Amino acid sequence: MKLGLISLGCSKNLVDSEHLIGLMVARKGFEITNDLEKADVVLVNTCGFIGDAKEESIQAILEVAEKKNSGNVKKIIVAGCLAQRYAEELISEIPEIDAVVGTGEIHKIEEIVDAILEDDKIVKCDSFEFLANAGTERILTTNPHTAYLKIAEGCNRRCTYCIIPQLRGNLRSRTIEDIVEEAKALAANGVREINLLAQETTEYGIDLYKKKALPDLLKELAKVEGIEWIRSYYMFPNSLTDELVEVIKNEPKVCKYFDIPIQHISGNILQNMARAKSGDHIKSILNKIRTEIPEATIRTTVIVGFPGETEEDFEELKEFVKEFKFDYVGVFKYSREEGTVAHDLENQVPEEIKEKRWAELTNLQAEIAEIKNRGMIGKVVEVMIDGISSESEFMLEGRTRGQALDIDGKVLTNDGTAKQGEIVKVKIEQNFEYDYIGAIVENEKK
């Protein structure tokens, strides 16, 4: 039987998708197809974090349901965060769905497939048992030289706007030994870049080791032969320690890349969000990074329109973004989600004000990015080649250590001598938005 996949949402969800299809191929003998019209079974791995993501997930399910009604698709499996959050509603309101699989039930996909092939309908969303290990079947969907590596699942924090703990459970960390074993297996199959994922990577290990163990993990991963770049995402400001900064500063394989979602800078809003201790605390952490590692790339996300956000609060945030000059900023409009504390807070901000503030901050960051990007012209940077460019078949594209997979832009070059996965040096000649164009000046042939 042929299996089609639609994977939505974040990179953490993509890893779940890779495990799901890996299990279905290894244990049930499915053949993967990229053409949904030829699929017997379609797996839709959904996102349910905010309103827009929920709408995208529902639309994807409905489109597959149409294919089931009119085409070859025989069975539909819905998994992921939306499935965990609205399991009963989904299977009752969209009768084409055959199975709903929660985030903690991925390891039960074999019995779920058996059930639906017998024409049963099944919902498995009762527990948060699943935590992948180095032996869990997985099929990579990224380029063969790069992979995401999930080091933990769930979250112990209770940010007032966030539904994730209800969808993923509490923090469950993998052991350092198990993660290193998976990294070695990835390297043996040609992976050269690993991207570490968790809800909060800086919280990694607290449950197992009674301390923030990301620095220890990074040092062990850096010993893995064949891995050249290591990047960590989703760093919680309160948990970013001096030890972690030192490891990132001094370990050559670890990219000087900090993904730190601050969400806001106003003390009042941070307190209502249950986020960082204070705006001053965030500033001290970020300034320490810039002092210790001037060349570091710093990405953040912020939320505008959180309940009670005044014009003064927004101006404070805007002024800080202008002053600090992040390399990348993701600006999100607050999404009011049922089941969260923030849903019931007073002083909800009107949508038109959220939209106005989103536009102002997005435009400000675009101006900052343009100045920063122009400053790259003439520099020689290390680039990992991802393959033929999506812009032109006559160009290659890759990324610097400061450009994370799929979110931070890319480097284009018309030099066709480099191969996918090779690390080269490129002299930047021009920029276009977040992309750079340059010529290879040295191929290290690593």
Side-chain angles (χ1 to χ4, degrees):
M1 296 185 76
K2 293 187 177 181
L3 170 66
L5 170 68
I6 298 174
S7 188
L8 303 170
C10 66
S11 47
K12 298 183 289 294
N13 212 41
L14 180 64
V15 175
D16 289 347
S17 295
E18 292 176 340
H19 284 303
L20 280 163
I21 62 174
L23 288 163
M24 292 174 75
V25 168
R27 300 186 185 183
K28 301 305 299 179
F30 278 93
E31 175 188 344
I32 296 174
T33 177
N34 293 323
D35 186 353
L36 295 184
E37 300 290 345
K38 296 180 180 178
D40 299 290
V41 177
V42 175
L43 170 67
V44 185
N45 199 13
T46 62
C47 179
F49 184 45
I50 59 175
D52 288 347
K54 288 188 288 187
E55 289 178 14
E56 181 185 23
S57 294
I58 292 293
Q59 185 60 39
I61 296 169
L62 292 174
E63 288 175 4
V64 177
E66 284 290 322
K67 295 183 187 301
K68 184 179 181 183
N69 290 328
S70 62
N72 295 326
V73 174
K74 297 178 178 67
K75 302 294 180 182
I76 300 173
I77 301 172
V78 177
C81 289
L82 190 80
Q84 183 70 41
R85 192 172 181 182
Y86 301 110
E88 296 298 338
E89 294 92 329
L90 285 169
I91 206 157
S92 64
E93 295 181 18
I94 307 177
E96 291 85 357
I97 296 173
D98 297 283
V100 178
V101 187
T103 59
E105 308 274 14
I106 289 171
H107 57 304
K108 297 179 182 176
I109 190 64
E110 185 176 7
E111 64 184 79
I112 292 167
V113 169
D114 286 340
I116 65 173
L117 292 180
E118 292 295 325
D119 293 329
D120 291 337
K121 292 220 172 196
I122 188 166
V123 174
K124 285 280 186 183
C125 298
D126 298 328
S127 71
F128 294 118
E129 294 177 18
F130 179 72
L131 180 64
N133 58 52
T136 305
E137 288 90 340
R138 181 182 178 191
I139 294 176
L140 294 185
T141 57
T142 52
N143 284 324
H145 59 278
T146 185
Y148 293 110
L149 182 51
K150 194 186 288 191
I151 62 176
E153 186 57 90
C155 185
N156 289 344
R157 298 209 168 265
R158 296 297 183 267
C159 302
T160 61
Y161 55 84
C162 183
I163 198 72
I164 290 298
Q166 298 178 44
L167 306 180
R168 295 278 176 174
N170 288 329
L171 175 69
R172 307 183 305 283
S173 301
R174 297 170 59 183
T175 66
I176 290 176
E177 293 77 12
D178 183 61
I179 296 167
V180 169
E181 183 181 344
E182 183 173 3
K184 288 179 178 178
L186 290 169
N189 285 312
V191 170
R192 309 191 67 198
E193 174 190 43
I194 53 175
N195 300 276
L196 306 185
L197 303 175
Q199 297 301 329
E200 308 278 8
T201 55
T202 40
E203 302 278 278
Y204 166 76
I206 289 176
D207 53 328
L208 291 181
Y209 305 112
K210 311 308 176 189
K211 68 171 186 174
K212 300 178 181 74
L214 183 58
D216 297 331
L217 175 62
L218 288 173
K219 285 185 279 190
E220 291 303 311
L221 287 172
K223 299 175 185 177
V224 176
E225 187 175 349
I227 298 298
E228 301 292 342
W229 290 5
I230 304 167
R231 183 182 289 101
S232 187
Y233 295 73
Y234 310 115
M235 299 177 179
F236 186 61
N238 288 9
S239 299
L240 212 154
T241 63
D242 291 349
E243 182 186 9
L244 178 58
V245 174
E246 282 299 307
V247 171
I248 294 174
K249 176 182 178 180
N250 295 319
E251 176 49 60
K253 287 188 178 182
V254 178
C255 298
K256 279 52 175 180
Y257 184 95
F258 292 82
D259 175 27
I260 309 173
I262 65 169
Q263 309 304 16
H264 218 282
I265 204 67
S266 162
N268 292 331
I269 301 301
L270 289 169
Q271 183 177 7
N272 290 337
M273 287 179 168
R275 286 293 292 180
K277 298 172 184 176
S278 68
D280 287 340
H281 180 66
I282 290 174
K283 291 175 183 178
S284 68
I285 292 168
L286 295 175
N287 287 326
K288 177 181 177 58
I289 294 169
R290 279 273 168 86
T291 300
E292 292 289 322
I293 317 175
E295 72 276 21
T297 297
I298 304 179
R299 159 179 277 281
T300 196
T301 58
V302 297
I303 297 172
V304 297
F306 187 81
E309 184 188 53
T310 64
E311 194 62 34
E312 289 74 19
D313 293 324
F314 173 69
E315 286 299 323
E316 184 178 354
L317 174 61
K318 185 177 171 182
E319 186 59 32
F320 178 64
V321 169
K322 181 178 180 180
E323 170 193 314
F324 188 76
K325 296 179 174 57
F326 290 94
D327 295 282
Y328 303 102
V329 179
V331 185
F332 293 89
K333 291 172 283 188
Y334 167 71
S335 178
R336 190 180 186 185
E337 297 298 319
E338 66 271 20
T340 64
V341 173
H343 179 275
D344 298 321
L345 291 178
E346 297 179 353
N347 300 316
Q348 297 285 331
V349 177
E351 289 299 321
E352 59 269 22
I353 294 179
K354 291 182 192 177
E355 184 69 31
K356 176 177 176 293
R357 291 175 180 174
W358 176 86
E360 281 189 42
L361 209 50
T362 299
N363 290 337
L364 171 61
Q365 179 57 27
E367 294 172 5
I368 293 168
E370 177 62 23
I371 294 169
K372 280 180 165 283
N373 289 346
R374 284 203 301 268
M376 290 289 292
I377 296 174
K379 292 185 177 180
V380 175
V381 294
E382 193 177 56
V383 172
M384 184 174 285
I385 298 296
D386 286 330
I388 296 173
S389 172
S390 57
E391 306 286 336
S392 168
E393 61 180 309
F394 302 107
M395 301 187 78
L396 298 174
E397 67 181 39
R399 292 167 293 108
T400 69
R401 287 174 174 262
Q403 291 175 311
L405 191 63
D406 293 331
I407 58 175
D408 290 334
K410 54 188 176 290
V411 177
L412 305 177
T413 176
N414 59 5
D415 188 323
T417 61
K419 301 293 189 293
Q420 188 178 58
E422 286 185 350
I423 296 172
V424 300
K425 289 185 177 178
V426 175
K427 185 175 182 179
I428 303 300
E429 297 170 340
Q430 58 181 299
N431 72 284
F432 178 73
E433 293 183 347
Y434 286 102
D435 296 343
Y436 304 118
I437 299 175
I440 295 176
V441 294
E442 181 182 344
N443 189 337
E444 298 179 5
K445 297 287 185 186
K446 286 188 177 179

